[in-house]
Amino acid sequence: MDPISLILTALVAGAAKTAGDVAQDAYKGLKGLIKRKFESQGKSDSATILDKYEQKPEKTKALLEDELTEVGADKDEEIIKLAQKLMEQLNPQEAAEGKFNVQISGGTVQGLTQQNTGTLNQDFRTSK
């Protein structure tokens, strides 16, 4: 799962009324961390979009996705780890299967998913 999708999924799942107390703590921590990220980059208006995402995720998803990307949330190790932790608490079975894995190393973020079935073709012919 790519980092932005993980963050968005965690926010929707955490906002659900069915999330338990422990998950609600992780959710509030994630949301607070994202709001502080917005504020630190002078985008306090984006916090409103984050709040609206809880009520109408389908209508505000693209806008929030853009805002998260713009502030670098998809490269913020703390935000990604907290989103992973929340999803592990809410969906332990899927977490055990690796659905929410995101690798961060040396400033590079890589998402892993079971649905990633891309093909890589290389041409090793030499020209004369």
Side-chain angles (χ1 to χ4, degrees):
M1 179 173 281
D2 70 280
I4 292 294
S5 294
L6 172 66
I7 294 166
L8 292 171
T9 301
L11 288 169
V12 169
K17 302 294 183 216
T18 57
D21 290 340
V22 173
Q24 280 298 312
D25 289 344
Y27 166 69
K28 288 175 185 173
L30 175 62
K31 188 174 173 184
L33 189 58
I34 292 170
K35 283 186 175 186
R36 286 191 298 280
K37 180 89 170 174
F38 284 147
E39 290 168 5
S40 73
Q41 297 197 15
K43 298 183 81 46
S44 55
D45 290 345
S46 298
T48 304
I49 298 166
L50 180 59
D51 291 333
K52 287 183 180 182
Y53 183 68
E54 292 177 334
Q55 284 81 38
K56 298 181 181 182
E58 65 284 345
K59 291 187 178 189
T60 55
K61 179 181 178 180
L63 186 55
L64 183 58
E65 187 174 349
D66 287 344
E67 294 297 313
L68 289 169
T69 301
E70 193 172 308
V71 299
D74 57 334
K75 295 172 179 64
D76 188 306
E77 189 172 345
E78 191 175 3
I79 289 173
I80 293 168
K81 284 186 177 185
L82 197 49
Q84 284 177 312
K85 179 181 177 184
L86 176 57
M87 292 310 297
E88 288 168 2
Q89 291 172 351
L90 294 172
N91 297 306
Q93 177 68 31
E94 290 179 13
E97 294 170 2
K99 184 171 182 179
F100 310 116
N101 288 348
V102 176
Q103 303 298 320
I104 304 168
S105 62
T108 302
V109 179
Q110 298 175 337
L112 304 174
T113 179
Q114 294 170 345
Q115 290 82 23
N116 187 359
T117 57
T119 302
L120 174 63
N121 296 316
Q122 293 182 332
D123 186 351
F124 295 104
R125 290 180 277 171
T126 58
S127 60
K128 292 184 181 183

